[in-house]
């Protein structure tokens, strides 16, 4: 019987939050980090006897003994066979199952297993090559990585030359073409095939079950005109927006610590882990994605963002804040520096603090800045226009937070600090925005006008607040579905917008200034 391969099933299981699935049938209550309880649907349960563990991906009823993984739950609850349950879950989570009736399927399964075999072979080979390179060894010791750590993380070295791994793989029966498929070799302009990773320190990137699915290669020769980091392309096994470096090693440490530390680089992650700070993952080679955040949210609700102090680091920090908040993760920002104030990354910090690195680092975490203060501090808010832009931006982040009480708390802080209204008038959540783009029958946003027309914010002299017009689409819209005002649509329209606001009756001016 044709069926989905183990790889596909593992992927689906890893990408599925079991609590989300079970919650479609049984209300669940959080009982700890990554843990939920609910009334068991498989016996006449009066107290919540069913436990759900999102990290392990299992449920268990302590009264009747029902239990298993997410496939088992759907099979039992929906009275489906295994294949139907797999398809039901894939459909519910938007997971792309390969078509098992399609002629290409055996090829896909074959490709995945080929890529897996080649990755294993390459990982071992890179690790073996490292001691043969003085340059690589020297570099590793300058970064203070122990031999144990190096082996634990499968840090290796890809020698210079075009055919190092190619010829080793050939001896093991793999063709150059297969190496290209696995992302380990590249086609050259002259038609030949060469090793993709050459003269680079190699980091093995593992999926949650600890299987090597890709590599990141760091250049060792600073003089070379080549990118500092080179990553595997997406392959049959690897999608870079779905894998966080180091999570396979730290996934059990994160719930224990009650938080995750997000860092930028491979060395940051490994150094902290080696020093004893193990609840750490790196966002290497890519920006944090919604999928990353969703995966992390199964393990913890607190993330320390420890990115570099440069402009790129600040951009990454801002972006990460916006990505993790909707997933219910509260970001806290940590800036590491030397006693003289010079900003440093976690790897430098660990190396410079030696024996006391772990304790010193944890002490830094206690001084983390909350995300709200951080954004207030780095965003210009001196002028009315800047403040309006800032408030609209913050609200557009808050509107996506699913925990409504948390959302209210933040709105209140925003209102207190900036004298704005604690609501979302004029702001629409991301989800709704997407929905609106899809569904034609829903009212469309009016064309963006250069000057504030009837759709822009209005001053309400009774309540001393700004508001959107109440009858935007002919009927009173829910607050979350009101079209976003020109304030958010275009920052460049702000001066004009403000000019026309200034033309309001003068008796309002005092109140107006106070409330903005
Ligand atoms: Zn039960």
């Amino acid at each position: 019987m044709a069926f989905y391969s183990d790889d596909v099933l593992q992927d689906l299981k890893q990408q599925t939050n079991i609590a989300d699935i079970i919650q479609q049938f049984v209300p669940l209550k959080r009982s700890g980090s990554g843990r939920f309880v609910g009334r068991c649907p498989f016996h006449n349960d009066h107290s919540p006897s069913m436990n759900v563990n999102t990290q392990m991906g299992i449920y268990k009823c302590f009264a009747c003994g029902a239990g298993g993984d997410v496939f088992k739950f759907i099979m039992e609850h929906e009275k489906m066979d295994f294949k139907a349950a797999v398809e039901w879950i894939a459909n519910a989570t938007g997971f792309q199952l390969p078509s098992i009736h399609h002629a290409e399927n055996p090829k896909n399964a074959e490709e995945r297993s080929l890529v897996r075999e080649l990755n294993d072979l390459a990982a071992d080979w890179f690790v073996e090559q490292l001691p043969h390179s003085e340059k690589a060894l020297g570099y590793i010791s300058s970064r203070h990585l122990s031999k144990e750590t190096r082996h634990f993380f499968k840090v290796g070295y890809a020698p210079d030359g075009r055919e190092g791994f190619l010829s080793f793989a050939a001896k093991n029966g793999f063709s150059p073409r297969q190496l290209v498929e696995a992302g380990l070799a590249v086609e050259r302009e002259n038609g030949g095939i060469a090793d993709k990773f050459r003269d680079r320190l190699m980091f093995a990137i593992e999926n949650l079950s600890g299987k090597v699915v890709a590599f990141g290669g760091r250049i060792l020769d600073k003089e070379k005109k080549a990118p500092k980091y080179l990553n595997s392309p997406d392959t049959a096994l690897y999608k870079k927006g779905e894998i966080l470096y180091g999570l396979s090693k730290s996934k059990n440490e994160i719930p224990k610590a009650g938080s995750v530390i997000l860092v930028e680089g491979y060395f940051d992650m490994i150094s902290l882990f080696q020093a004893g700070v193990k609840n750490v993952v790196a966002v290497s080679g890519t920006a944090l994605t919604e999928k990353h955040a969703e995966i992390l949210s199964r393990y913890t609700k607190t993330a320390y963002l420890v990115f570099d102090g440069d402009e790129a680091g600040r951009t990454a920090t801002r972006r990460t804040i916006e990505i993790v908040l909707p997933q219910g993760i509260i970001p806290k920002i940590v800036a590491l520096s030397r006693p003289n104030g010079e900003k440093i990354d976690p790897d430098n910090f660990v190396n410079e603090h030696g024996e006391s690195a772990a304790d010193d680092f944890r002490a830094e975490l206690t001084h983390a800045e909350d995300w709200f203060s951080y954004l207030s501090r780095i965003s210009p808010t001196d002028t009315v226009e800047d403040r309006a832009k800032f408030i609209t931006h913050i609200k557009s982040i808050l509107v996506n937070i699913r925990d409504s009480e948390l959302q209210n708390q933040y709105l209140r802080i925003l209102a207190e600090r900036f004298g704005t209204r604690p609501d979302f008038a004029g702001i629409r959540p991301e989800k709704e925005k997407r929905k609106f783009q899809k569904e034609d029958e829903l009212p469309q946003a009016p064309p963006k006008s250069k000057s504030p027309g009837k759709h822009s914010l209005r001053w309400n002299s009774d309540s001393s607040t700004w508001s959107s017009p109440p009858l935007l689409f002919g009927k009173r819209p829910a607050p979350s579905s009101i079209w976003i005002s020109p304030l958010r649509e275009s920052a460049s329209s702000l001066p004009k917008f403000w000019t026309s606001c200034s033309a309001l009756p003068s008796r309002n001016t005092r109140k107006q200034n106070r409330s903005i």
Side-chain angles (χ1 to χ4, degrees):
M1 187 182 82
F3 201 65
Y4 303 110
S5 69
D6 279 351
D7 280 338
V8 169
L9 296 176
Q10 283 304 323
D11 272 4
L12 173 57
K13 213 157 121 175
Q14 275 179 21
Q15 295 190 19
T16 303
N17 185 339
I18 188 171
D20 285 349
I21 295 293
I22 293 180
Q23 231 154 176
Q24 301 195 18
F25 307 98
V26 181
L28 293 178
K29 252 184 78 179
R30 183 175 288 279
S31 65
S33 180
R35 288 162 194 276
F36 296 83
V37 289
R39 284 194 185 172
C40 173
F42 303 112
H43 79 277
N44 187 13
D45 196 5
H46 296 294
S47 58
S49 313
M50 189 175 68
N51 287 256
V52 178
N53 185 318
T54 56
Q55 287 138 34
M56 297 168 76
I58 54 170
Y59 68 99
K60 176 83 188 167
C61 172
F62 289 109
C64 74
D69 61 13
V70 68
F71 300 134
K72 178 89 179 298
F73 183 90
I74 292 299
M75 285 167 72
E76 303 270 301
H77 196 272
E78 297 299 281
K79 309 282 182 278
M80 287 178 177
D81 64 19
F82 186 65
K83 181 168 162 287
V86 167
E87 283 162 1
W88 190 97
I89 292 163
N91 189 41
T93 56
F95 182 89
Q96 281 284 341
L97 281 173
S99 161
I100 54 171
H101 305 295
H102 198 270
E104 261 183 22
N105 179 54
K107 195 175 155 257
N108 286 349
E110 215 174 274
E111 193 181 332
R112 294 168 72 87
S113 98
L114 170 83
V115 176
R116 202 178 43 225
E117 277 177 55
L118 270 169
N119 278 332
D120 284 344
L121 189 73
D124 290 345
W125 190 74
F126 292 143
V127 169
E128 276 169 30
Q129 299 311 302
L130 196 137
H132 302 307
S133 161
E134 266 181 42
K135 184 165 58 174
L137 268 185
Y139 187 79
I140 282 285
S141 77
S142 78
R143 305 296 286 247
H144 305 277
L145 290 200
S146 72
K147 194 176 167 189
E148 291 71 34
T149 302
R150 167 153 77 73
H151 281 270
F152 184 67
F153 281 95
K154 299 192 179 104
V155 178
Y157 173 67
D160 211 353
R162 297 201 176 108
E163 298 189 342
F165 184 63
L166 269 172
S167 46
F168 178 74
K171 279 183 211 146
N172 285 273
F174 294 99
S175 72
R177 182 60 49 192
Q178 289 176 316
L179 267 69
V180 174
E181 271 179 53
L184 288 159
V186 287
E187 287 179 73
R188 303 179 61 217
E189 279 169 17
N190 65 11
I193 289 177
D195 282 342
K196 177 179 172 79
F197 299 102
R198 303 197 294 269
D199 193 23
R200 282 175 184 270
L201 203 65
M202 298 300 292
F203 298 90
I205 298 170
E206 298 177 342
N207 66 11
L208 276 174
S209 5
K211 294 254 166 29
V212 178
V213 292
F215 294 93
R218 187 196 194 283
I219 204 162
L220 283 177
D221 199 339
K222 277 182 194 155
E223 304 307 313
K224 268 196 186 161
K225 282 203 172 73
K228 189 172 168 192
Y229 283 98
L230 193 63
N231 274 76
S232 295
D234 283 6
T235 64
L237 272 192
Y238 175 62
K239 287 191 185 56
K240 64 167 164 278
E242 294 176 358
I243 296 209
L244 283 157
Y245 181 74
L247 187 57
S248 58
K249 307 288 192 215
S250 60
K251 62 182 179 188
N252 295 326
E253 306 291 337
I254 294 168
K256 266 193 247 168
S259 64
V260 63
I261 297 157
L262 276 172
V263 296
E264 277 186 51
Y266 301 112
F267 275 117
D268 296 327
M269 191 276 155
I270 298 177
S271 291
L272 278 170
F273 196 95
Q274 179 178 270
V277 181
K278 297 187 172 180
N279 52 322
V280 57
V281 300
V283 193
S284 300
T286 175
L288 194 88
T289 64
E290 278 177 37
K291 187 69 207 173
H292 286 144
E294 193 274 315
I295 292 169
L296 284 178
S297 74
R298 297 177 209 165
Y299 297 89
T300 185
K301 294 297 166 199
T302 303
Y304 292 97
L305 316 187
V306 197
F307 295 162
D308 295 351
D310 56 8
E311 185 49 41
R314 276 193 294 278
T315 305
T317 301
R318 274 197 298 265
R319 182 87 192 106
T320 304
I321 290 171
E322 292 169 24
I323 299 265
V324 300
L325 270 167
Q327 299 294 338
I329 298 177
I330 308 303
K332 298 179 178 196
I333 290 80
V334 179
L336 300 173
S337 55
R338 296 198 168 101
N340 66 5
E342 195 185 334
K343 300 264 181 276
I344 49 171
D345 62 27
D347 180 43
N348 295 137
F349 183 92
V350 168
N351 289 329
E352 290 171 21
H353 284 248
E355 293 273 288
S356 64
D359 289 340
D360 294 349
F361 185 83
R362 290 196 189 96
E364 293 289 334
L365 295 187
T366 63
H367 302 130
E369 187 174 15
D370 76 80
W371 69 272
F372 189 86
S373 305
Y374 174 81
L375 287 184
S376 315
R377 186 166 57 75
I378 63 161
S379 312
T381 52
D382 288 341
T383 67
V384 170
E385 289 85 353
D386 285 341
R387 279 202 294 283
K389 197 172 152 193
F390 175 74
I391 291 164
T392 309
H393 178 62
I394 294 287
K395 284 190 174 181
S396 73
I397 297 174
L398 295 182
V399 77
N400 294 308
I401 295 182
R402 289 181 201 152
D403 182 334
S404 59
E405 187 46 45
L406 188 64
Q407 197 177 49
N408 285 336
Q409 292 297 330
Y410 281 129
L411 267 182
R412 211 164 297 157
I413 298 173
L414 186 70
E416 279 164 16
R417 289 198 200 165
F418 291 93
T420 182
R421 254 175 30 167
D423 64 24
F424 290 118
I427 312 280
R428 188 190 294 162
E430 283 297 323
K431 259 190 197 163
E432 300 247 339
K433 270 191 262 173
R434 277 185 225 132
K435 202 170 95 190
F436 266 58
Q437 281 157 10
K438 277 182 201 158
E439 295 175 21
D440 292 332
E441 68 272 21
L442 285 167
Q444 293 302 299
K448 190 163 68 182
S449 56
K450 280 265 158 57
S451 61
K454 59 177 179 160
H455 297 298
S456 53
L457 294 184
R458 283 183 186 169
W459 176 250
N460 181 335
S461 56
D462 295 331
S463 59
S464 302
T465 50
W466 293 95
S467 65
S468 293
L471 298 174
L472 200 53
F473 300 121
K475 57 177 182 173
R476 189 177 291 275
S480 62
S481 65
I482 297 174
W483 177 66
I484 280 183
S485 76
L487 258 185
R488 176 167 161 70
E489 291 293 297
S490 160
S492 62
S493 68
L494 276 171
K496 256 188 185 169
F497 167 62
W498 176 244
T499 313
S500 79
C501 291
S502 311
L504 284 164
S506 58
R507 63 187 167 87
N508 282 333
T509 311
R510 193 177 46 82
K511 278 182 185 174
Q512 173 187 322
N513 284 341
R514 199 184 53 209
S515 83
I516 289 178

